[in-house]
Amino acid sequence: MILFVRDLTVIDFSYLCQQRGLLGESYIVDVELHGELNATSMVFDFGHVKKVIKKAIDSLVDHKLAYPAAADCLVQQQQDDTHILQWHSARGLIQIASPAEAHVAIPGHVIDEQSVALFLTEQITPLLPDNVTALKFQLRTERSNSFYYHYSHGLKKHDGNCQRIAHGHRSTIEIYQNGMLSPRLNKYWTERWQDIYLGTSEDLVTPDKLQFIKAAAQDHSFRYQAPQGWFEISLPQNHCEIVPCDTTVECLADYIAGQLQQMEAADYKVVAYEGVGKGAIAFS
């Protein structure tokens, strides 16, 4: 017997790629549980799927920075409770210092749907009862005909896991100019924010202000104190855009609308998503 749950949850996280650098991603999670019926004539109670499996996924990967543990371009160290990563990508050196719980090591050389699914299977299977003989995850991106971009950010004022300085999303965007959907502007914005890190201007610092990272002067460095601890990140300038606001989806939608108004006077409606099925709408 197979029990399945489609769209169990969405994993919003960032990961390190040797070619693309740091990028945000959103995976929709489907799960199958194979096994025999238990004393209640179930493979597994649907209510427990969320209590056990979704909770474990949220704890293991969601809103974290994932990195491939076997990658040759990775250097890491630990200082007390701070985990420091150096990632030598084709786009340049990326350095991140965060509390250890903000990072997750995925076995293998790359982060993709298959490696994350295998990691989840290995970690969560021991949590299930003996009548469940196999656990299978399918991770997939949202099917969309719209334009989208991958972005990473951190929200220092957030009281949950969004405060982590390098987590992210794969996000659709819809820009309307004078009431009409504008493929030209959607294309422009997705190219502008392709695999981008969005940093808040008030968190931008010079390299000498960093505690755990030795950054180059030509890179952009950000730091902040949040409820979960001290966070730092340094990355090439062409890998990020500095915005004069917090990087909540509400502020980002408003920022895009304002930028568009500066480029060309018109009436704009910006529908900006934060991952799958949620976001904000701004007008200019």
Side-chain angles (χ1 to χ4, degrees):
M1 183 67 67
I2 300 175
L3 182 76
F4 68 89
V5 179
R6 303 285 183 255
D7 304 317
L8 172 63
T9 188
V10 176
I11 303 173
D12 290 309
F13 72 115
S14 288
Y15 70 91
L16 293 168
C17 172
Q18 191 161 6
Q19 289 73 41
R20 298 166 65 184
L22 172 68
L23 63 152
E25 186 59 273
S26 298
Y27 287 154
I28 301 168
V29 181
D30 301 326
V31 62
E32 289 184 355
L33 295 93
H34 298 231
E36 304 297 330
L37 300 184
N38 60 20
T40 62
S41 300
M42 300 178 183
V43 175
F44 199 63
D45 191 311
F46 278 121
H48 292 160
V49 172
K50 285 195 173 183
K51 290 180 180 179
V52 176
I53 299 178
K54 182 183 182 303
K55 183 179 179 180
I57 293 171
D58 291 345
S59 174
L60 289 165
V61 182
D62 191 55
H63 282 76
K64 290 191 175 186
L65 171 66
Y67 60 93
D72 296 333
C73 58
L74 170 68
V75 178
Q76 55 183 318
Q77 58 178 304
Q78 190 81 19
Q79 294 188 26
D80 297 325
D81 295 330
T82 301
H83 190 201
I84 305 163
L85 296 172
Q86 291 183 327
W87 185 259
H88 297 268
S89 76
R91 299 184 68 177
L93 177 62
I94 298 168
Q95 301 182 84
I96 302 164
S98 296
E101 63 267 22
H103 300 164
V104 57
I106 305 293
H109 291 84
V110 296
I111 304 294
D112 57 20
E113 293 95 324
Q114 290 72 36
S115 64
V116 176
L118 180 60
F119 171 74
L120 292 176
T121 301
E122 293 174 344
Q123 295 293 314
I124 298 176
T125 295
L127 305 178
L128 303 178
D130 292 340
N131 69 296
V132 178
T133 57
L135 175 66
K136 296 184 178 181
F137 288 101
Q138 179 184 358
L139 306 185
R140 54 188 171 86
T141 58
E142 181 183 27
R143 291 183 179 179
S144 175
N145 294 324
S146 301
F147 292 85
Y148 65 89
Y149 48 81
H150 298 259
Y151 77 96
S152 300
H153 68 148
L155 301 173
K156 64 179 180 293
K157 300 173 185 175
H158 196 270
D159 60 1
N161 292 335
C162 290
Q163 68 189 261
R164 294 168 177 172
I165 202 166
H167 77 278
H169 315 271
R170 178 186 189 271
S171 298
T172 299
I173 188 168
E174 300 168 3
I175 298 174
Y176 297 82
Q177 184 181 39
N178 295 326
M180 298 291 292
L181 185 66
S182 174
R184 173 181 62 87
L185 293 177
N186 284 309
K187 181 176 184 294
Y188 163 78
W189 215 270
T190 55
E191 290 176 349
R192 175 169 167 172
W193 278 5
Q194 181 181 13
D195 301 346
I196 198 75
Y197 183 81
L198 298 177
T200 301
S201 57
E202 69 179 19
D203 300 327
L204 183 68
V205 296
T206 55
D208 60 293
K209 301 297 184 182
L210 300 173
Q211 291 187 26
F212 298 98
I213 294 174
K214 294 182 179 179
Q218 67 269 23
D219 290 340
H220 280 327
S221 300
F222 304 88
R223 69 166 199 185
Y224 57 71
Q225 178 72 44
Q228 289 184 2
W230 182 258
F231 294 87
E232 298 179 354
I233 187 170
S234 176
L235 65 173
Q237 291 188 24
N238 63 6
H239 205 340
C240 59
E241 180 164 333
I242 301 170
V243 297
C245 57
D246 290 325
T247 55
T248 63
V249 69
E250 297 93 334
C251 290
L252 293 179
D254 188 61
Y255 172 74
I256 294 171
Q259 290 283 294
L260 290 169
Q261 191 64 251
Q262 292 181 26
M263 294 165 54
E264 182 180 352
D267 292 328
Y268 294 101
K269 174 184 175 182
V270 177
V271 183
Y273 285 75
E274 185 185 72
V276 179
K278 63 187 189 299
I281 303 173
F283 300 89
S284 177

